[in-house]
C-alpha cells in the first residue's frame, strides 16, 4: 500500500508555501534597504501595500511615482495593469521619467473599491500580467489574503496603492496581510538654482514580513550617471532627522 | 388577443372609423356566428347583435403584436416576417427536418398558437403566394393544408381571384369579365390581362405558381453564423440556460473552427413564450472560436436575462467574423501569452464595459489633454513612446484644470505660494515657463476669445514639503489667472 508521507507540521508547510521570497526578490541595490527586507530585496510574486499620508492619499501622486519606478523594472517586460476608480487621471507620458514604458500599461477604470480588488484578483489569477497595481481606499484582511494567494498562483507581483477621494477621511488601518507595507511621502529635492531636481521620496517601510522596518530618502534615477537602477537611496531617515535637528539647534542657538 | 379565462365568451368586435362611418374592423368567432363580418357598419351590427362588445381598433398595437409574434416564430426558422395586417410568413426551407417534417412543424406551430389563444389558419406550400391563398381560403381554424410540390397550380385553380393579393378594384374588374377563380384567370391571354389591369395580376399568378420570385421583407438579414435550439417545453432555470449556452457555443464554434474563422462578438438571444427577446452580448478583443471562453463570458451575464414564464428557444449569433488560423504552438509560447492576456482583458471588459479598459498611445498634439489617445488594450504591437526630458509631464493629469489662488511677485514669474483644495503651498523651486498655445485649427468660427487668451504658461513647481505641481497661467493680458493641471510623483 502506498502511503504518502505525513507532513510533520502542516503549519510549517503552509508557511513554506507562503514564503515571501519563493518567486525571487528585487534588490534596491543599497545595503541599508536590502538588509531590512526578507531575502535581501523586494519580494516578487507577493502583495505589497503602499499608502501615502495627507494630500498624497487623495492625489496618489507620490505613491504612483514610486510604484512606477519599481513596476518599470520588474515583471519581465510584461503588461502592467493599473486598476482603480480614478485611474483615468494617470497620465502615461508622466511615467516615462520614472523609466516605465507606457506601452506596457493597461488602465482599468472600475466603479468602486470592491470592483478594483476583484479585478486585481482576476488579473493576478490569470497570470497574464507582469505587475498589477490597484488603487483602493481600504484593504480588508480577507481581501488582502485573497490577493496574496492570487499573487502566489503565478508569481505576479501586486501592489495596492491606498487612495481615497478628495474630502473623504482615510479608512482606519487594518491588520496587515500584505508582505510589506510602505508609506511614501514627497521629499524636497536637490534644488539647483531654484530648479527642482529629480523626484525624491521619504520612504518608510513600516512592515516587512520576515524583515524589519526602516526609513530612507530615495531619489528617482536622473540620468545615465545614476546607473541602471531606477531608485537611488540618498540617505537614511534617521540621518535626515539628525541633520534637521542639528539645523534647528544651529538656527535657534 | 383573447385569453381562455374570459369565459363565457361574448360577441366582440373592434371598430374603426372609415370615411366618417364607424365600421367593424375585426370580429371574434362568437360575433361571426351571430352573422357579423368585418366592414359592416357599427349601427347595423348593433341592430343584428345588441349585446356586442365594442373595442376601438388599434392598428399600431396590432402591428407591434404581429412583429413580436414574428420574432417568436424564429424558433422555427431565422426567416420569419410579419405579413400585415394579419399574417405571418415563415420560410421553412431547410428547417422542417429539425421538427420532423413539414406537417409536424405545422402541427407544432398550430398547437402552440392555440395554447396562446390565437385563432389562426395555416398552410404550407411551395410558394409564398400559394401558402397565402390556401391559408386564407381555409374555413376552419388550425387546419394545415399541404400543397404537394408542383401541385400549386391545381390546388389554387378553384380559389377566388381575390386570394392572389389583388386589390379590390382589380378583383371587381375581373369579376365583371366573369373571371372568378384563379384557374379561369390563368387560362386568359397574359398580354391582354396586362394591358387592361397592369402587370400585377400576371405577376401575382406567376409568383403563386412558382414561376416568378417573390420578394419578402424579412425583419433582419439572415445571419450566416448562427445556431438555434428550440425546446419542447419552456425552460427557465439558470442551470438550463447555462447548459443551453454551452451547447449552442459548442456547435457554433465547431463550425467557425472548421471554416478557420473567429468572431469578435457573440450574441445570445432567448425567445420567451410571451414574445419578448431578451439578449446578452459579449465582445472579445481577439477573434476567437473557443467555445469554453465564449460560454464563460456569456454565462457571466446570464443574470441579466429574465426568463419570465419560460424560454422556448435560444439563438446564438457570431458577428464580426475574421479569418483565424489554427493556433500556432511556438517554443517561446509568445502566442499563448498573448491569448492568455486577451482572455483576461475580455473577462474584465465584459464585466466593467469595454470603454473602461484601455491602453494609451501618443498623439501628435502639444496640448497636454490631447497628447494621449486611448486605444483598445489588445494591439498587435505596443504603442511606442519616446521620452522627452525637455517636456516633463505630470504623472496625474486632472481631468479639468482647477483654479488656484496664487501670489506671484512679478507677473512673468512663477508664484511664490498658492492655495489648492484648502491647503497652502509655499514654493521653493520652480522651472518654466513652457508656453503651450491652443490649436487654432480646432477653434470654432464663432469663438470670440482672443488668441492671447488661449495661451498657457506652464510651470513645474515644488513646495517646501517636496510635493510637485504643474501650474499654468492662462492668458497673456489682464490679471493672471492660475490653474493647477497636474501633479508629479
Amino acid at each position: 500500500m502506498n502511503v504518502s508521507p505525513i507532513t510533520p507540521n502542516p503549519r510549517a508547510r503552509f508557511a513554506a508555501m507562503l514564503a515571501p521570497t519563493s518567486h525571487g526578490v528585487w534588490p534596491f541595490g543599497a545595503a541599508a534597504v536590502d538588509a531590512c527586507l526578507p531575502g535581501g530585496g523586494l519580494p516578487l510574486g507577493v502583495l505589497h501595500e503602499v499608502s501615502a499620508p495627507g494630500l498624497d492619499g487623495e492625489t496618489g501622486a507620490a505613491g504612483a511615482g514610486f510604484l512606477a519606478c519599481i513596476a518599470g523594472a520588474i515583471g519581465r517586460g510584461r503588461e502592467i495593469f493599473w486598476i482603480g476608480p480614478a485611474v483615468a487621471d494617470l497620465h502615461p507620458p508622466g511615467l516615462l521619467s520614472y523609466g516605465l514604458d507606457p506601452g506596457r500599461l493597461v488602465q482599468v477604470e472600475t466603479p468602486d473599491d470592491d470592483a478594483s480588488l476583484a479585478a486585481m484578483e482576476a488579473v493576478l489569477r490569470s497570470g497574464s500580467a507582469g505587475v498589477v497595481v490597484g488603487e483602493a481606499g481600504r484593504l480588508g484582511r480577507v481581501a488582502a489574503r485573497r490577493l496574496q494567494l492570487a499573487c502566489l498562483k503565478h508569481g505576479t507581483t501586486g501592489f495596492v496603492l491606498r487612495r481615497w477621494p478628495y474630502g473623504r477621511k482615510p479608512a482606519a488601518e487594518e491588520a496587515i496581510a500584505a508582505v510589506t507595507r510602505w508609506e511614501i511621502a514627497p521629499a524636497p529635492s536637490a534644488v539647483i538654482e531654484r530648479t527642482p531636481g529629480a523626484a525624491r521620496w521619504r520612504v518608510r517601510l513600516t512592515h516587512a514580513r520576515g524583515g524589519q522596518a526602516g526609513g530612507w530618502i530615495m531619489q528617482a534615477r536622473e540620468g545615465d550617471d545614476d546607473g541602471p537602477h531606477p531608485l537611488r537611496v540618498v540617505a537614511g531617515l534617521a540621518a535626515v532627522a539628525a541633520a534637521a535637528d542639528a539645523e534647528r539647534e544651529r538656527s535657534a542657538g | 388577443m383573447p385569453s381562455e379565462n374570459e369565459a363565457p365568451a361574448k360577441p366582440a368586435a373592434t371598430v374603426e372609423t372609415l370615411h366618417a362611418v364607424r365600421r367593424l374592423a375585426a370580429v371574434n368567432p362568437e360575433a361571426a356566428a351571430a352573422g357579423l363580418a368585418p366592414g359592416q357598419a357599427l349601427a347595423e351590427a348593433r341592430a343584428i347583435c345588441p349585446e356586442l362588445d365594442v373595442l376601438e381598433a388599434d392598428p399600431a398595437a396590432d402591428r407591434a403584436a404581429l412583429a413580436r409574434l414574428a420574432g417568436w416564430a424564429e424558433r422555427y426558422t431565422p426567416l420569419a416576417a410579419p405579413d400585415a395586417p394579419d399574417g405571418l410568413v415563415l420560410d421553412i426551407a431547410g428547417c422542417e427536418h429539425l421538427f420532423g417534417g413539414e406537417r409536424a412543424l405545422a402541427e407544432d406551430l398550430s398547437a402552440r398558437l392555440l395554447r396562446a389563444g390565437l385563432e389562426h389558419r395555416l398552410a404550407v406550400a411551395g410558394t409564398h403566394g400559394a401558402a397565402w391563398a390556401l391559408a386564407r381560403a381555409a374555413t376552419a381554424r388550425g387546419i394545415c393544408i399541404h400543397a404537394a410540390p408542383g401541385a400549386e397550380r391545381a390546388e389554387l385553380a378553384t380559389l377566388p381571384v381575390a386570394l392572389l393579393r389583388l386589390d379590390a378594384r382589380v378583383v371587381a374588374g375581373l369579376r365583371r369579365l366573369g373571371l372568378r377563380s384563379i384557374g379561369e384567370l390563368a387560362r386568359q391571354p397574359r398580354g391582354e390581362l396586362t394591358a387592361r389591369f397592369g402587370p400585377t395580376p400576371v405577376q401575382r399568378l406567376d409568383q403563386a405558381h412558382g414561376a416568378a420570385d417573390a420578394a419578402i421583407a424579412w425583419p433582419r438579414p439572415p445571419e450566416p453564423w448562427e445556431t438555434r435550439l428550440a425546446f419542447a417545453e419552456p425552460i427557465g432555470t439558470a442551470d438550463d440556460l447555462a447548459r443551453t449556452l454551452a451547447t449552442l457555443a459548442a456547435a457554433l464554434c465547431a463550425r467557425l473552427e472548421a471554416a478557420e474563422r473567429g468572431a469578435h462578438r457573440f450574441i445570445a438571444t432567448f425567445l420567451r413564450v410571451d414574445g419578448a427577446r431578451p439578449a446578452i452580448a459579449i465582445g472579445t478583443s481577439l477573434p476567437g472560436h473557443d467555445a469554453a471562453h465564449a460560454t464563460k463570458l456569456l454565462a457571466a451575464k446570464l443574470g441579466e436575462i429574465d426568463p419570465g414564464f419560460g424560454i422556448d428557444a435560444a439563438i446564438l449569433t457570431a458577428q464580426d467574423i475574421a479569418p483565424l488560423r489554427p493556433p500556432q504552438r511556438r517554443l517561446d509560447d509568445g502566442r499563448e501569452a498573448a491569448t492568455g492576456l486577451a482572455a483576461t482583458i475580455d473577462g474584465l471588459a465584459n464585466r466593467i464595459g469595454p470603454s473602461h479598459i484601455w491602453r494609451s498611445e501618443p498623439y501628435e498634439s502639444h496640448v497636454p489633454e490631447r497628447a494621449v489617445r486611448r486605444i483598445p488594450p489588445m494591439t498587435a504591437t505596443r504603442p511606442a513612446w519616446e521620452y522627452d526630458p525637455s517636456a516633463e509631464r505630470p504623472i496625474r493629469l486632472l481631468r479639468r484644470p482647477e483654479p488656484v489662488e496664487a501670489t506671484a511677485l512679478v507677473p512673468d514669474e512663477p508664484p511664490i505660494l498658492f492655495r489648492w483644495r484648502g491647503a497652502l503651498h509655499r514654493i521653493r523651486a520652480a522651472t518654466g515657463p513652457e508656453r503651450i498655445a491652443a490649436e487654432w485649427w480646432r477653434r470654432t468660427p464663432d469663438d470670440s476669445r482672443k488668441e492671447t487668451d488661449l495661451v498657457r504658461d506652464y510651470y513645474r513647481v515644488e513646495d517646501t514639503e517636496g510635493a510637485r505641481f504643474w501650474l499654468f497661467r492662462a492668458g497673456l493680458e489682464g490679471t493672471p489667472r492660475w490653474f493647477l493641471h497636474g501633479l508629479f510623483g
Side-chain angles (χ1 to χ4, degrees):
Chain A
M1 204 167 127
N2 192 4
V3 180
S4 59
I6 296 163
T7 313
N9 185 351
R11 192 179 288 271
R13 200 175 57 153
F14 188 61
M17 197 178 83
L18 293 183
T21 57
S22 57
H23 289 284
V25 298
W26 180 74
F28 278 87
V33 185
D34 292 337
C36 290
L37 290 161
L42 187 76
L44 299 176
V46 296
L47 185 72
H48 304 283
E49 189 183 335
V50 175
S51 64
L55 176 74
D56 267 298
E58 289 162 10
T59 63
F66 180 71
L67 284 180
C69 287
I70 299 175
I74 64 175
R76 285 174 295 167
R78 298 171 71 193
E79 265 64 18
I80 296 165
F81 279 74
W82 206 298
I83 301 164
V87 82
D89 71 358
L90 189 73
H91 193 49
L95 298 169
L96 285 163
S97 56
Y98 303 106
L100 191 155
D101 170 17
R104 285 172 68 191
L105 184 73
V106 177
Q107 277 157 281
V108 182
E109 191 180 44
T110 53
D112 51 40
D113 281 358
D114 288 345
S116 305
L117 298 176
M120 263 188 96
E121 190 184 343
V123 178
L124 286 167
R125 272 194 194 287
S126 74
S128 48
V131 182
V132 182
V133 180
E135 295 177 2
R138 63 187 299 272
L139 175 65
R141 252 183 85 75
V142 177
R145 199 91 187 122
R146 289 184 66 103
L147 290 177
Q148 169 65 15
L149 289 171
C151 283
L152 286 168
K153 190 169 179 221
H154 288 282
T156 312
T157 313
F159 296 94
V160 171
L161 177 61
R162 300 271 307 276
R163 186 184 181 192
W164 46 92
Y166 169 58
R168 187 86 52 83
K169 282 249 181 337
E173 293 280 320
E174 305 252 356
I176 298 163
V179 170
T180 67
R181 179 186 274 177
W182 301 77
E183 227 179 75
I184 309 295
S189 65
V191 174
I192 305 159
E193 289 177 7
R194 270 187 63 76
T195 300
R200 278 190 182 177
W201 299 281
R202 188 181 293 270
V203 176
R204 284 178 20 142
L205 175 62
T206 56
H207 167 82
R209 189 188 299 166
Q212 61 192 49
W216 309 273
I217 298 280
M218 292 195 198
Q219 177 174 316
R221 176 179 185 269
E222 204 169 8
D224 292 334
D225 303 344
D226 277 358
H229 201 280
L231 286 166
R232 187 161 69 83
V233 177
V234 179
L237 276 184
V240 172
D245 285 347
E247 175 78 18
R248 213 171 299 132
E249 265 172 35
R250 204 172 31 205
S251 58
Chain B
M1 199 180 284
S3 68
E4 290 161 35
N5 52 13
E6 246 176 47
K10 282 173 63 182
T14 58
V15 183
E16 61 188 345
T17 305
L18 210 68
H19 305 306
V21 180
R22 303 274 284 159
R23 289 182 187 279
L24 303 191
V27 296
N28 71 351
E30 289 73 20
L36 305 185
Q40 225 165 15
L42 177 60
E44 192 186 328
R46 281 227 195 275
I48 297 170
C49 178
E51 71 274 25
L52 182 68
D53 263 352
V54 173
L55 296 161
E56 196 61 36
D58 185 351
D62 287 347
R63 269 198 303 281
L66 195 62
R68 226 171 34 239
L69 192 64
W72 169 83
E74 279 188 31
R75 62 179 274 110
Y76 296 105
T77 161
L79 297 177
D83 186 4
D86 56 358
L88 275 188
V89 48
L90 309 185
D91 186 342
I92 58 167
C95 300
E96 72 281 1
H97 69 276
L98 299 172
F99 298 86
E102 288 175 356
R103 176 163 285 279
L105 187 151
E107 277 165 2
D108 182 71
L109 174 57
S110 176
R112 284 175 195 274
L113 288 173
L114 266 187
R115 234 183 295 162
L118 288 173
E119 289 292 330
H120 61 276
R121 284 168 290 171
L122 211 146
V124 181
T127 67
H128 173 214
W132 198 95
L134 289 169
R136 281 159 182 78
T139 46
R141 73 154 77 138
I143 290 181
C144 316
I145 304 162
H146 286 254
E152 287 89 9
R153 195 174 285 266
E155 295 217 22
L156 292 175
T158 55
L159 301 181
V161 285
L163 291 177
L164 282 179
R165 290 182 290 154
L166 298 172
D167 65 42
R169 197 181 49 80
V170 176
V171 172
L174 290 170
R175 189 170 298 152
R176 271 199 301 281
L177 293 179
L179 300 175
R180 286 170 190 282
S181 72
I182 295 174
E184 285 164 358
L185 182 68
R187 280 193 294 275
Q188 301 308 311
R190 298 164 66 91
E192 284 176 25
L193 274 179
T194 306
R196 177 132 189 204
F197 297 104
T200 325
V202 172
Q203 191 189 349
R204 288 284 155 79
L205 201 58
D206 284 348
Q207 286 174 351
H209 288 163
D213 286 333
I216 303 167
W218 304 111
R220 60 193 188 97
E223 293 275 358
W225 298 103
E226 197 173 89
T227 49
R228 57 188 58 241
L229 201 57
F231 315 116
E233 290 297 323
I235 61 166
T237 67
D239 283 353
D240 287 346
L241 293 184
R243 254 197 305 280
T244 306
L245 281 180
T247 313
L248 287 172
L252 187 58
C253 288
R255 272 180 60 204
L256 284 168
E257 192 172 357
E260 296 193 352
R261 299 285 155 99
H264 275 290
R265 260 169 82 74
F266 288 93
I267 301 164
T269 310
F270 296 94
L271 307 188
R272 240 160 64 173
V273 286
D274 61 358
R277 300 164 57 105
I280 46 179
I282 56 120
T284 60
S285 45
L286 292 180
H289 53 228
D290 180 349
H293 184 49
T295 309
K296 197 171 135 201
L297 294 176
L298 282 167
K301 288 198 165 183
L302 264 183
E304 297 171 16
I305 297 292
D306 171 16
F309 293 110
I311 283 164
D312 58 8
I315 302 171
L316 183 68
T317 312
Q319 286 182 347
D320 292 347
I321 309 293
L324 182 70
R325 270 180 284 148
Q328 307 280 318
R329 301 264 180 240
R330 285 201 331 222
L331 286 176
D332 59 357
D333 77 337
R335 199 194 147 89
E336 279 199 53
T339 51
L341 184 65
T344 310
I345 286 172
D346 291 347
L348 288 178
N350 286 297
R351 189 132 38 104
I352 60 175
S355 64
H356 296 291
I357 173 161
W358 68 91
R359 229 183 256 264
S360 301
E361 77 174 359
Y363 185 67
E364 286 287 331
S365 171
H366 48 259
V367 177
E369 303 86 310
R370 295 187 7 94
V372 175
R373 202 161 52 172
R374 293 184 182 184
I375 56 170
M378 277 313 287
T379 48
T381 52
R382 285 177 181 169
W385 288 83
E386 266 179 51
Y387 179 40
D388 177 6
S390 67
E392 289 272 351
R393 289 291 175 259
I395 196 164
R396 302 278 186 189
L397 188 76
L398 302 184
R399 203 156 58 90
R400 213 164 269 135
E402 292 184 13
V404 294
E405 299 166 33
T407 312
L409 293 177
V410 186
D412 274 353
E413 292 233 320
I416 50 166
L417 53 86
F418 73 95
R419 184 182 288 279
W420 179 57
R421 290 187 178 175
L424 195 66
H425 302 274
R426 287 182 192 284
I427 292 168
R428 67 187 279 268
T431 171
E434 184 187 348
R435 178 158 294 181
I436 297 177
E439 294 170 327
W440 56 265
W441 55 92
R442 281 172 45 83
R443 288 180 69 182
T444 53
D446 53 343
D447 190 343
S448 62
R449 289 174 298 174
K450 277 190 291 184
E451 202 69 46
T452 50
D453 287 346
L454 298 171
V455 173
R456 295 169 176 180
D457 279 340
Y458 278 94
Y459 291 91
R460 200 149 58 85
V461 304
E462 182 179 315
D463 72 4
T464 45
E465 301 288 305
R468 292 145 171 257
F469 305 91
W470 210 36
L471 295 175
F472 71 82
R473 186 182 52 222
L476 297 179
E477 296 161 5
T479 346
R481 285 171 302 128
W482 287 90
F483 293 89
L484 188 140
H485 201 177
L487 299 104
F488 294 88

